[in-house]
Amino acid sequence: MAKSNNIGLMDRDKLLKIFEYLNERLKENQLQLEITVYGGSIMTMVYDNRPATRDIDCVFSETNIKLLDNILDLTKFTFNLSDDWINEEIKEPLKSLLKEDKETYKVYSNLKILKPKAEQLLAMKVLAARPEPAKDFIDAYILCKDLNITTRTELLDTVSDYIPLTLLGERQINFIKYLGEDLGYDWE
């Protein structure tokens, strides 16, 4: 029974195999694609703090959508992924961003994978501030450590570069306080 919970889970190796497969299908169809990957997939691939992710939060560049949908369906079948393995819902929170700072993660012959810089990813995690089982808190903790953020001011300065502070409500403020506490700092 527990095995069914793992259907479609993608660890770092599987994610990279999926991207290689996508690249091969793109090459066969003489299609170039740029994809920006966010959230859990980036935390799984770059920071390796998650054993796996259920979906790939991403945004695709403009391309032949009919052909791309076919390639994505082939990928889903080949890797036994869930129906919602591609999640473009990230487009909504991206509308709140003041700017995007992307960098290249990996380049294949026909596929280019971009990711947000760690500072932007941290700002997005603070804005989301979802309760468990979402991993926003753990991710924000790891990103603060990675960026050497030790004060509330440093955190808020980083967040305000990407998100208007007026969007921070009670949930985000509590999230920041608990984050500071877990990091060993008094961010009251």
Side-chain angles (χ1 to χ4, degrees):
M1 185 105 167
K3 194 157 179 88
S4 67
N5 291 340
N6 290 332
I7 288 180
L9 279 181
M10 298 170 278
D11 63 10
R12 184 178 191 280
D13 289 341
K14 188 170 187 177
L15 284 165
L16 292 173
K17 284 177 185 158
I18 287 168
F19 289 132
E20 288 168 13
Y21 179 86
L22 276 174
N23 182 64
E24 288 305 310
R25 301 299 73 81
L26 291 165
K27 191 191 296 186
E28 288 170 5
N29 290 282
Q30 298 176 359
L31 202 61
Q32 290 288 327
L33 181 66
E34 188 175 278
I35 179 175
T36 305
V37 179
Y38 301 87
S41 10
I42 283 300
M43 295 306 291
T44 299
M45 289 189 305
V46 178
Y47 297 95
D48 207 21
N49 82 307
R50 288 195 188 173
T53 184
R54 292 195 180 282
D55 61 5
I56 299 175
D57 298 310
C58 62
V59 176
F60 295 103
S61 60
E62 293 300 314
T63 190
N64 180 334
I65 201 69
K66 196 172 179 113
L67 202 49
L68 179 60
D69 282 345
N70 186 39
I71 291 170
L72 295 176
D73 284 344
L74 284 171
T75 306
K76 177 185 144 199
F77 179 82
T78 303
F79 289 92
N80 191 28
L81 302 171
S82 61
D83 288 341
D84 56 356
W85 75 279
I86 288 287
N87 182 2
E88 291 186 271
E89 290 175 15
I90 192 71
K91 288 179 181 177
E92 197 53 40
L94 289 175
K95 293 176 185 174
S96 301
L97 289 181
L98 299 170
K99 67 176 180 178
E100 268 218 87
D101 273 340
K102 298 189 255 187
E103 55 193 12
T104 301
Y105 172 67
K106 199 159 182 60
V107 179
Y108 299 89
S109 61
N110 291 60
L111 175 66
K112 182 176 186 179
I113 302 171
L114 303 174
K115 70 173 201 66
K117 287 191 173 178
E119 293 85 354
Q120 177 184 329
L121 199 52
L122 176 59
M124 293 172 74
K125 292 293 180 180
V126 169
L127 179 64
R130 295 168 296 190
E132 292 294 331
K135 304 286 188 224
D136 294 331
F137 191 82
I138 294 163
D139 293 346
Y141 178 92
I142 287 166
L143 290 164
C144 280
K145 287 276 196 196
D146 186 60
L147 294 167
N148 293 317
I149 292 176
T150 59
T151 67
R152 187 179 71 181
T153 302
E154 289 172 333
L155 178 66
L156 291 175
D157 285 349
T158 300
V159 169
S160 68
D161 282 345
Y162 297 94
I163 295 166
L165 292 180
T166 54
L167 293 180
L168 301 184
E170 186 178 346
R171 189 177 82 236
Q172 288 84 4
I173 290 166
N174 286 331
F175 182 92
I176 290 168
K177 286 179 183 175
Y178 289 123
L179 183 59
E181 216 173 272
D182 269 31
L183 287 165
Y185 308 116
D186 182 12
W187 287 0
E188 286 297 320

